[in-house]
Amino acid sequence: MTQAYIIIDMQNDFIDGSLGTPEAQAIVPHVEAKIVASKKDTDQETDLIFTQDTHDSDYLETQEGQKLPIANCIKDTRGWRICKQLLPYTLMAEIFEKPSFGCPALVEEVKDYDRLVLMGLCTDICVISNAILLKAHYPEKEIVVDSSCCAGSTPEAHDMALKIMQSCQIDIV
């Protein structure tokens, strides 16, 4: 079985920056531990794929910026960068910049994997968007969201998103 870990938007702005939360900060070591464990597992090869929310300096003028008027993930700023704890793992990964919640490029990238494990930020926005995008394209693939490696914009939004994904036949662990 082929497997990919899809690490969604583990960027400074979502962890300790303009949209950061204590819950986001708390999952960083869990995500790193999963990556490290996957590299030690000789029975199961796991590839890494990172997404990176990417906005231009005109973000506040976009539709998303009008609805969420907090500048975030502006390209080439500290907030846009993947957090330093996970940055070394990007050297052995594909990285996809995405201008919005979902990442259509993932659809083609993951076509040959049997199992997709999603983790990252925010559960109720980008994680759910990508999980449902992938489930819609690949209804027979095993798509898993690791809840211990995700955080939502609020704890309540995190829990609600997990329930919605589970109702869409995405496995929650």
Side-chain angles (χ1 to χ4, degrees):
M1 176 179 1
T2 58
Q3 172 175 267
Y5 281 1
I6 302 171
I7 300 134
I8 307 289
D9 300 355
M10 291 297 293
Q11 296 163 262
N12 293 317
D13 269 347
F14 296 129
I15 296 169
D16 61 6
S18 62
L19 295 171
T21 65
E23 295 81 16
Q25 293 168 32
I27 70 161
V28 174
H30 298 288
V31 174
E32 183 175 22
K34 289 282 183 173
I35 293 170
V36 169
S38 76
K39 295 305 169 195
K40 292 180 181 174
D41 185 355
T42 57
D43 295 332
Q44 172 74 55
E45 185 175 332
T46 301
D47 291 333
L48 301 178
I49 301 169
F50 282 77
T51 68
Q52 195 170 16
D53 208 39
T54 303
H55 303 297
D56 293 323
S57 58
D58 68 346
Y59 170 77
L60 293 175
E61 298 166 24
T62 67
Q63 183 178 11
E64 181 182 329
Q66 294 293 307
K67 294 182 180 196
L68 179 63
I70 300 170
N72 68 89
C73 300
I74 307 300
K75 189 169 181 141
D76 296 326
T77 65
R78 179 195 175 277
W80 172 75
R81 291 185 187 90
I82 293 170
C83 69
K84 71 178 181 178
Q85 297 92 321
L86 302 180
L87 195 57
Y89 306 105
T90 64
L91 298 174
M92 58 183 118
E94 293 286 331
I95 302 174
F96 291 94
E97 293 181 12
K98 58 184 190 58
S100 186
F101 307 137
C103 184
L106 282 177
V107 173
E108 181 65 22
E109 181 67 20
V110 302
K111 70 181 179 189
D112 295 326
Y113 292 98
D114 301 309
R115 184 171 196 259
L116 306 172
V117 179
L118 283 74
M119 53 190 91
L121 303 167
C122 292
T123 317
D124 53 310
I125 303 172
C126 294
V127 174
I128 193 172
S129 295
N130 286 287
I132 290 175
L133 174 71
L134 293 169
K135 189 66 173 176
H137 277 80
Y138 301 113
E140 296 302 317
K141 278 193 194 297
E142 183 181 1
I143 299 175
V144 177
V145 171
D146 187 329
S147 62
S148 71
C149 293
C150 293
S153 56
T154 67
E156 298 79 19
H158 169 78
D159 291 340
M160 183 173 51
L162 293 174
K163 288 177 186 169
I164 291 167
M165 287 185 281
Q166 190 169 35
S167 72
C168 292
Q169 301 179 356
I170 294 163
D171 296 327
I172 308 299
V173 296

